[in-house]
Amino acid sequence: MSRVLLASRNAKKLGELRRILAAEGLDGAEGLEVVGLDDVPEFPEAPETGATFEENAVAKARDAVAATGLPAVADDSGLAVDALNGMPGVLSARWAGRHGDDQANLDLVLAQLTDTPEERRGAAFVCAAALVRPGGRETVVRGEWRGALIRKPRGTNGFGYDPIFVPEGETRTSAELAPEEKDAASHRGRALRALLPALRELV
Ligand SMILES: O=P(O)(O)OP(=O)(O)OP(=O)(O)OC[C@H]1O[C@@H](n2cnc3c(O)ncnc32)[C@H](O)[C@@H]1O
Ligand SMILES: [Mg+2]
């Protein structure tokens, strides 16, 4: 059985990545075993210094391959807010200063948009997903999910900025969608499905 490593240290993101691949039958059934960072010896996390989601995704996947010798998938993602000229973007995980403080990050974005009227509250979730093989071959794809930001958080599913993001064509926030509904439309679902042919080649 071939193995592929999902190189994310965010448990909720990792859960979504696993769920999306499992829904596509890529969880052992196709001769590919999906493993996480808990299943391999620990290695240090490098700072995410890239200017783009793609650069960061490739860097995370390369580090994981170098440390483990396994083919690795990494996801670099975030929220690009129109009224903030695309920020927080690659800084989404540490927008309020402390890495991974979802509540503080979301509160800061809401505060920054206090005077932004409804018609200018557009935003997009973006996900770059990279597959790097031990030989060095790299595949990078991108998924986007457009929507608008509300003023008061709603919903408890998902993570990060989900409670303030209402996808296009929806009235619920992405934190109010069922997990399968989020995956079917999300930036992460789209990116990972674009990576499927490359993943199937690993078998
Ligand atoms: O780098 P890894 O270890 O994968 O974990 P991370 O949480 O640091 O991940 P990123 O560097 O890609 O930062 C992504 C941030 O963007 C936000 N984000 C990404 N995808 C999201 C989603 O589906 N829903 C809500 N927020 C999301 C959230 O705040 C994440 O912490
Ligand atoms: Mg990160």
Side-chain angles (χ1 to χ4, degrees), residues 8-10 13 48 60 77 159 162 182 187-188:
S8 173
R9 295 174 202 267
N10 178 327
K13 183 203 276 187
E48 291 170 24
K60 285 188 268 191
S77 48
F159 65 102
D162 279 329
K182 180 178 178 184
H187 52 318
R188 184 162 296 106

Side-chain angles (χ1 to χ4, degrees), residues 110-124:
L110 284 185
Q112 289 163 328
L113 297 185
T114 303
D115 295 334
T116 304
E118 308 318 311
E119 67 274 16
R120 287 200 293 110
R121 295 179 70 93

